[in-house]
Amino acid sequence: MPKTPSSSSNPAARSWHGFLNRFSLLDDKADDTMIDESLRAGVELRGATPWILMFAIFVASIGLNVNSTAVIIGAMLISPLMGPIMGIGYGIGIYDFTLIRKSVGNLLIATLISLLTSTVYFALSPLTEAHSELLARTSPTIWDVLIALFGGFAGIIGVTRKEKTNVIPGVAIATALMPPLCTAGYGLANGNWAYFLGAFYLFSINCVYIAAAAVLVIGLLNPPHKQFVDPVMETRVKRVLFLVVLLTGLPSLYLAYRLVGNEVFHSKASQFVHQEFNFPKSHVVEIGITPKNKHVEVTLIGDRLSARTIDTIRTHLPATGLKGAILTVHQAGDDNIDINTLRDGIVKELSGNELALASRDQQIADLRRQVAWSAQSAQLTAELKAQYPDLTDILIGEGVGAAPPEETDGDSADSASMEPESAPETAPVPILVAHSAKRLSRQDMARIEDWFRVRTQSKAARIAID
């Protein structure tokens, strides 16, 4: 009878086994004794560790206070919070209840130290505004659960390797244990219980799911562990652990559902506005979308839309998935630019950046002056052409030159609209350039220059006629 080819002589089987061996967690696993010593040492919270924890909390709190991502990352790298959490997971995995109690106790002490430190800092800090880095830790979702779970997998696998890598610092950054505690301290310091509960829930998610990942990996590695004398007790403990993991994750599903719903509404509303308010002489300058109230607010400049047109646009809301949404439209006059609306939009976009805001305010002032010039230059050209028909190629605009105080007309419209502290060091100079078919006399040149200075209300105005 022919022999059945064994897996050792089958190239496909050898390739498959070789592929599976690449994912084996046993190849580079450290000795069980080394793993045990390393994880137990990380649980300790005495000596220098509490001081490092407090300093890390101060650094993270400052980073959240000034909205600095780099500072927050630095605080996460020096935080010793990961050790007790890994200790809890390891203790559950080997049924060492003494280690579990010690790890839980140290984690609670570390949490209290962190909350107290961050609360004291934010209570004393003169900066009370909640920036984006802080707000990001107040509404955890199912994605935070997944980050903690997969981060925990990476962390416990990294701890159990012979060669230590940068896995643990990476896990500390990804799971972000430190910022939620600082955000909870901010909530306590400012009496904002919504911030406190949201941030502390995020911290709880990270703790539970990092520990759960450690339990699963330890179970796969199967190091020496204690045995339950009573099988019923073993089953009960496992059910309690499963229930804790489940109850911790359930609220995040609702928060994720609400977040997804808000994002979908925001996306549909933005697409609706861009499609429906596409008019040649009316332009959208600001869009305000509030998913919670299903409110879409649009600000327009340019030609005013009729009430009938806006009502027709409102009837298109249900067809685009925005049933029940409220559409509010703000409009400017036909030729008027709503500077206040533009300024409000700029303030929101700059998010408190005062230097950039000052620059943008100057741009608005320049735009206003340019709009005024576009209308005035046409009028001046017509007047000059009526007085001197031989003039051609007439160009009227502004140049920039050093204008002494005595040359600036204090009653001009531009001067009146400027605040003293924002007045530039150089003043715009009105300039008239033209070509004459026949040579003009000095009297005509002087007459044109005087006329131009009076009409532009600037003694610094200049002309150039060839």
Side-chain angles (χ1 to χ4, degrees), residues 95-147:
Y95 305 140
D96 189 336
F97 289 97
T98 301
L99 178 60
I100 295 173
R101 285 193 293 269
K102 183 177 182 181
S103 300
V104 171
N106 286 341
L107 180 60
L108 290 176
I109 293 173
T111 302
L112 291 174
I113 292 174
S114 301
L115 286 175
L116 181 61
T117 304
S118 58
T119 301
V120 169
Y121 170 80
F122 283 111
L124 298 177
S125 174
L127 306 177
T128 58
E129 183 178 357
H131 294 289
S132 59
E133 286 288 348
L134 191 146
L135 294 174
R137 273 83 185 184
T138 58
S139 300
T141 65
I142 188 62
W143 287 280
D144 294 293
V145 170
L146 296 177
I147 291 171

Side-chain angles (χ1 to χ4, degrees), residues 52-62 114 117-118 178 181-182:
I52 294 174
L53 176 63
M54 286 190 291
F55 296 148
I57 285 290
F58 273 120
V59 173
S61 299
I62 294 171
S114 301
T117 304
S118 58
M178 186 73 65
L181 280 177
C182 296

Side-chain angles (χ1 to χ4, degrees), residues 226-287:
K226 299 181 179 181
Q227 298 292 333
F228 276 98
V229 177
D230 186 1
V232 177
M233 178 62 69
E234 180 179 2
T235 303
R236 187 178 300 172
V237 169
K238 290 181 178 178
R239 287 178 178 175
V240 170
L241 293 175
F242 176 77
L243 189 62
V244 169
V245 171
L246 182 64
L247 293 179
T248 303
L250 281 178
S252 69
L253 289 173
Y254 168 73
L255 294 174
Y257 172 78
R258 190 175 67 178
L259 175 64
V260 170
N262 291 344
E263 289 296 325
V264 170
F265 181 87
H266 194 283
S267 177
K268 289 182 178 179
S270 297
Q271 186 177 5
F272 173 82
V273 171
H274 289 106
Q275 287 179 351
E276 297 293 334
F277 291 89
N278 187 14
F279 299 96
K281 295 185 179 180
S282 296
H283 304 282
V284 177
V285 294
E286 188 178 24
I287 303 174

Side-chain angles (χ1 to χ4, degrees), residues 175-382:
T175 55
L177 292 166
M178 186 73 65
L181 280 177
C182 296
T183 303
Y186 173 88
L188 288 176
N190 291 275
N192 192 323
W193 294 106
Y195 283 7
F196 171 77
L197 293 174
F200 197 79
Y201 175 49
L202 176 56
F203 175 72
S204 301
I205 286 176
N206 290 335
C207 293
V208 170
Y209 281 88
I210 290 173
V215 172
L216 294 175
V217 173
I218 292 299
L220 290 174
L221 296 178
N222 195 27
H225 56 274
K226 299 181 179 181
Q227 298 292 333
F228 276 98
V229 177
D230 186 1
V232 177
M233 178 62 69
E234 180 179 2
T235 303
R236 187 178 300 172
V237 169
K238 290 181 178 178
R239 287 178 178 175
V240 170
L241 293 175
F242 176 77
L243 189 62
V244 169
V245 171
L246 182 64
L247 293 179
T248 303
L250 281 178
S252 69
L253 289 173
Y254 168 73
L255 294 174
Y257 172 78
R258 190 175 67 178
L259 175 64
V260 170
N262 291 344
E263 289 296 325
V264 170
F265 181 87
H266 194 283
S267 177
K268 289 182 178 179
S270 297
Q271 186 177 5
F272 173 82
V273 171
H274 289 106
Q275 287 179 351
E276 297 293 334
F277 291 89
N278 187 14
F279 299 96
K281 295 185 179 180
S282 296
H283 304 282
V284 177
V285 294
E286 188 178 24
I287 303 174
I289 300 174
T290 309
K292 182 179 180 180
N293 302 325
K294 291 188 174 182
H295 187 203
V296 181
E297 194 171 5
V298 181
T299 302
L300 304 174
I301 60 172
D303 289 353
R304 180 181 292 274
L305 301 182
S306 65
R308 183 176 180 180
T309 300
I310 296 175
D311 290 339
T312 302
I313 293 175
R314 287 194 177 101
T315 62
H316 299 164
L317 285 168
T320 56
L322 298 173
K323 186 177 181 180
I326 302 172
L327 175 64
T328 304
V329 180
H330 303 289
Q331 300 189 78
D334 293 341
D335 299 319
N336 296 328
I337 297 177
D338 192 345
I339 299 298
N340 290 330
T341 300
L342 291 175
R343 189 182 300 276
D344 291 341
I346 291 168
V347 170
K348 293 178 182 178
E349 180 183 349
L350 294 175
S351 302
N353 190 327
E354 295 182 359
L355 182 60
L357 179 59
S359 175
R360 194 64 63 92
D361 285 343
Q362 184 61 46
Q363 293 177 16
I364 293 175
D366 293 340
L367 287 173
R368 292 178 63 185
R369 188 166 55 251
Q370 290 175 17
V371 170
W373 261 105
S374 64
Q376 188 181 18
S377 60
Q379 180 66 27
L380 293 177
T381 300

Side-chain angles (χ1 to χ4, degrees), residues 25 28-43 82-83 85-87 90 151-169 171 210 214 217-218 221:
L25 293 176
D28 59 343
K29 184 178 78 71
D31 182 73
D32 291 334
T33 304
M34 293 179 58
I35 295 174
D36 187 82
E37 291 176 353
S38 175
L39 288 170
R40 290 181 186 275
V43 171
M82 187 68 71
I85 299 173
M86 289 288 189
Y90 179 65
F153 281 135
I156 190 63
I157 290 174
V159 170
T160 58
R161 299 304 95 186
K162 293 178 182 178
E163 298 292 335
K164 305 303 180 184
T165 63
N166 60 349
V167 170
I168 295 301
V171 172
I210 290 173
V217 173
I218 292 299
L221 296 178

